[in-house]
Amino acid sequence: MSKATTEPVIDVRGLTRTYGTTTALQDVDLTIGRGEIVVVLGLSGSGKSTLLRHLNGLETPTSGSVRVLGEDVARLRGAPLRALRSRIGFIFQQFELVPSLSVLENVLTGSLASVRGPRLGLFSYRRPAKLRALCHLDRVGLLDRAYQRADTLSGGQQQRVAIARALMQNPEVLLADEPVASLDPESSAQVMALVREIAADEGLTVLCSLHQVDLAISWADRIVGLRHGEVVLDLPTDGLTKEQVMEIYGRVATSTGELTAVANELLEPVR
Ligand SMILES: Nc1ncnc2c1ncn2[C@@H]1O[C@H](COP(=O)(O)OP(=O)(O)O)[C@@H](O)[C@H]1O
Ligand SMILES: [Mg+2]
């Protein structure tokens, strides 16, 4: 096999990131192979977003290395960084759509990395891009909403638009930062199921942050637990129980009297 197919898609070594006196990530090692579906689980403030942001070069390490798709992310600038980012889809807790634009235009902005010049409305996109955008909207079940303003959709629908937008890049990696944290249980379940389905169809490698143990176990192939910026567990979900996960968090948290916070947050039912 060639190097490209054997090399991990995500390879983080000894990643430390500090902000002033705050250590957001501490000596994180993480290797993820092609097609793996991994959850990074942790309380708020444990470093999940910071970790994800290093993977597409939105943050630079204080020390350690971050390789994604064979590229040393922190060393890339300009066009090579944009090229790498175009291979990495990103979805956010707050969807980050342009509220006043149509659903279709929002999806089309996902192709911006690969087109030049400013975009001034639908007419400025080429027909093949529009057709692809409509296909992706169909895929996420929102074809009939294409010409509606984005802000007229529910939260769950907006997140599905954001997924369609990410698909415009034909990404190889999908990073999702608490994608269902602001959704109700039914929409959460729909969005998570959709991400898995698409990931399987497209052979995507997925790293998704969550703070609910139950959802993480039922959804991911593997869970990486962060606490105060350190990896405290890295286990396949197969056969893994909530009790085992909590036991590990409990062991590290009791010493600091943090256990109640851990239980409250990680065992929170999916809203
Ligand atoms: N840009 C920043 N400036 C200062 N502190 C930050 C910054 N980004 C994150 N942090 C701190 O790093 C820690 C981890 O934050 P974050 O990665 O957002 O955690 P999570 O996503 O798990 O809630 C927190 O203590 C947070 O306050
Ligand atoms: Mg976060």
Side-chain angles (χ1 to χ4, degrees), residues 17-20 22-25 40-53 59 93 177-178 209-211 226 228-229 265:
R17 179 60 157 108
T18 56
Y19 298 99
T22 305
T23 301
L25 295 172
V40 50
L41 179 74
L43 305 186
S44 57
S46 60
K48 303 181 297 298
S49 299
T50 305
L51 175 61
L52 292 175
R53 290 165 56 82
E59 293 285 349
Q93 178 178 343
D177 195 2
E178 304 224 35
S209 71
L210 292 174
H211 64 258
L226 276 184
H228 294 334
E265 201 168 331

Side-chain angles (χ1 to χ4, degrees), residues 74-139:
R75 286 174 189 268
L76 298 179
R77 301 278 182 281
L81 178 58
R82 285 197 297 278
L84 177 65
R85 281 193 183 140
S86 76
R87 301 167 70 192
I88 306 173
F90 209 125
I91 60 179
F92 307 87
Q93 178 178 343
Q94 296 304 337
F95 330 129
E96 310 290 341
L97 302 182
V98 183
S100 60
L101 289 184
S102 70
V103 165
L104 179 58
E105 282 171 283
N106 269 283
V107 175
L108 280 162
T109 62
S111 64
L112 282 180
S114 58
V115 295
R116 288 174 184 281
R119 301 287 99 183
L120 300 166
L122 268 181
F123 62 87
S124 63
Y125 291 92
R126 291 176 175 276
R127 186 179 160 83
K130 287 184 210 167
L131 292 176
R132 275 202 316 121
L134 290 167
C135 279
H136 293 317
L137 275 175
D138 194 25
R139 179 74 170 284

Side-chain angles (χ1 to χ4, degrees), residues 36-259:
E36 271 196 273
I37 301 204
V38 181
V39 158
V40 50
L41 179 74
L43 305 186
S44 57
S46 60
K48 303 181 297 298
S49 299
T50 305
L51 175 61
L52 292 175
R53 290 165 56 82
H54 275 84
L55 298 176
N56 74 346
L58 286 169
E59 293 285 349
T60 39
T62 303
S63 60
S65 70
V66 177
R67 297 184 69 84
V68 178
L69 295 163
E71 304 282 352
D72 186 345
V73 182
R75 286 174 189 268
L76 298 179
R77 301 278 182 281
L81 178 58
R82 285 197 297 278
L84 177 65
R85 281 193 183 140
S86 76
R87 301 167 70 192
I88 306 173
F90 209 125
I91 60 179
F92 307 87
Q93 178 178 343
Q94 296 304 337
F95 330 129
E96 310 290 341
L97 302 182
V98 183
S100 60
L101 289 184
S102 70
V103 165
L104 179 58
E105 282 171 283
N106 269 283
V107 175
L108 280 162
T109 62
S111 64
L112 282 180
S114 58
V115 295
R116 288 174 184 281
R119 301 287 99 183
L120 300 166
L122 268 181
F123 62 87
S124 63
Y125 291 92
R126 291 176 175 276
R127 186 179 160 83
K130 287 184 210 167
L131 292 176
R132 275 202 316 121
L134 290 167
C135 279
H136 293 317
L137 275 175
D138 194 25
R139 179 74 170 284
V140 301
L142 292 172
L143 184 56
D144 58 335
R145 304 303 174 110
Y147 297 98
Q148 230 168 287
R149 271 173 65 123
D151 58 5
T152 62
L153 301 190
S154 71
Q157 290 170 330
Q158 290 193 40
Q159 193 59 293
R160 281 148 61 197
V161 174
I163 294 169
R165 177 181 59 187
L167 291 176
M168 285 302 283
Q169 301 172 216
N170 291 320
E172 292 161 68
V173 177
L174 183 66
L175 305 176
D177 195 2
E178 304 224 35
V180 297
S182 41
L183 301 181
D184 61 80
E186 199 183 325
S187 311
S188 296
Q190 270 183 5
V191 164
M192 294 307 283
L194 185 64
V195 171
R196 254 215 94 109
E197 214 178 280
I198 290 173
D201 288 353
E202 306 290 326
L204 293 178
T205 305
V206 184
L207 184 59
C208 173
S209 71
L210 292 174
H211 64 258
Q212 306 95 336
V213 179
D214 280 330
L215 181 60
I217 292 176
S218 64
W219 184 80
D221 298 336
R222 175 180 159 200
I223 297 183
V224 173
L226 276 184
R227 179 179 164 273
H228 294 334
E230 287 185 76
V231 175
V232 292
L233 66 91
D234 185 347
L235 293 168
T237 52
D238 201 18
L240 187 67
T241 65
K242 183 165 75 183
E243 288 69 29
Q244 287 169 319
V245 173
M246 290 311 290
E247 205 267 324
I248 295 168
Y249 273 97
R251 219 185 303 140
V252 290
T254 31
S255 56
T256 58
E258 193 194 14
L259 195 56

